[in-house]
Amino acid sequence: MEDKQMIVNGFNRVSAALFAVLLLSWTVPQAAQAQYPWGNGPGPGEVVVGQTGGGAGHAPILLCQYVGGGESGDNPNESPFRAPTKHYEPQKAGFMAAAYHIDTSSVWMSAGHKTMEAAKQRALAGCKAGTGAECYVADTLSEFGLIYVAEDAMGLLWIKAMTTLDDTTQKNATASRTVVDWNPSIELCSRNAFGCKFLGYTQTGRMPLNDNPDAQYVSDSFPNGPLTWNRWALVARPEKTPIAAWQNKSWLSSGQQKSAAARAELLARCQADAGVPCAIIAFAANGVLVQFVDAQGKVGWTSAVPNAAKPKRKTKKSLVSDDTSVAARIARACPSAAAPCRVVATYDAGTSRLDVVADVP
């Protein structure tokens, strides 16, 4: 199995000039109009009757209606429709980015930037300062929205951004998913891993539409304290049939914290022994690698976390099981036509080793 990738596509920016002009050129409503935009909420004698949809990098605007009775001296003969007396300053979303390093269970987020490149570089710099290694951008936002973070049973993070949706769009999006308590990071995790749980989210930063070029609106969400480093177990096999002495073998590495170094060392050892290129076929972080054999004698590998607590969330049967035990993971990995499968051996990720393992049960 190849190392998982968590980099996902960012959202395209859409121009909002027309909407901004509309807000900045507000005039007194006519008597036939019952609603007007009000960015700071209702005042005395007014009620909220709805809101605009927002989007395109702008926050939704409240629609207020004057009903009277909120201030002493209200004139009952005064027109109930009047221009708002409060000032609303249109806002736009700052650019936001989230960075990660595969060897840690941490994420670095930075919001409120004036360019996407600045947001990316800030998040990457924070990650590199914390890990001492090169990091990667997980996702970005250029509109109002949230970046969600989920964690699987092995401690790997799954990061996904989503722009702010109005109620109808949100309901339709949720109804089209297979998770009852849907959010994009849980969906991403559930389709690629197991034992997923939601950790939280960070909102896009805001700034005035006509911001001061010298002003800064940046806010960072970086890890505090020591980082948690993953321990890896990897299995490789030859991509082509090797010489007879190395057939029916797997190469196993475990106990290392630096996945790139462990991967390079394992593939080099496998290729040197077998005389042909090799590939990673399975891995585990902070759990165990399980070697199993099916009823037809074919050996396979999967990952499991025997002692992990089962996340408390509702799922439908089409999703990856939240049961992280060895038995449950073997049952899922075992081909139905070749069931039942049985465990041959388990190898924990925390023990240091670089071995050749026989694939003959």
Side-chain angles (χ1 to χ4, degrees), residues 92 114 207-217:
K92 62 183 178 181
K114 297 179 181 180
M207 63 181 68
L209 184 61
N210 298 311
D211 63 280
N212 182 343
D214 297 325
Q216 294 296 322
Y217 309 93

Side-chain angles (χ1 to χ4, degrees), residues 137 170 255:
V137 174
Q170 179 67 65

Side-chain angles (χ1 to χ4, degrees), residues 172-250:
N172 292 339
T174 303
S176 68
R177 311 297 178 178
T178 54
V179 186
V180 175
D181 55 347
W182 177 80
N183 74 57
S185 64
I186 283 290
E187 182 180 48
L188 179 65
C189 180
S190 296
R191 297 196 180 283
N192 293 278
F194 61 97
C196 301
K197 62 181 179 181
F198 177 55
L199 296 183
Y201 59 79
T202 298
Q203 296 182 344
T204 314
R206 297 168 179 255
M207 63 181 68
L209 184 61
N210 298 311
D211 63 280
N212 182 343
D214 297 325
Q216 294 296 322
Y217 309 93
V218 175
S219 62
D220 296 328
S221 179
F222 293 171
N224 293 321
L227 300 178
T228 300
W229 293 89
N230 299 321
R231 293 279 184 176
W232 296 92
L234 310 169
V235 173
R237 278 180 180 167
E239 293 183 306
K240 301 178 181 179
T241 303
I243 59 175
W246 297 106
Q247 292 180 14
N248 299 316
K249 298 286 194 302
S250 290

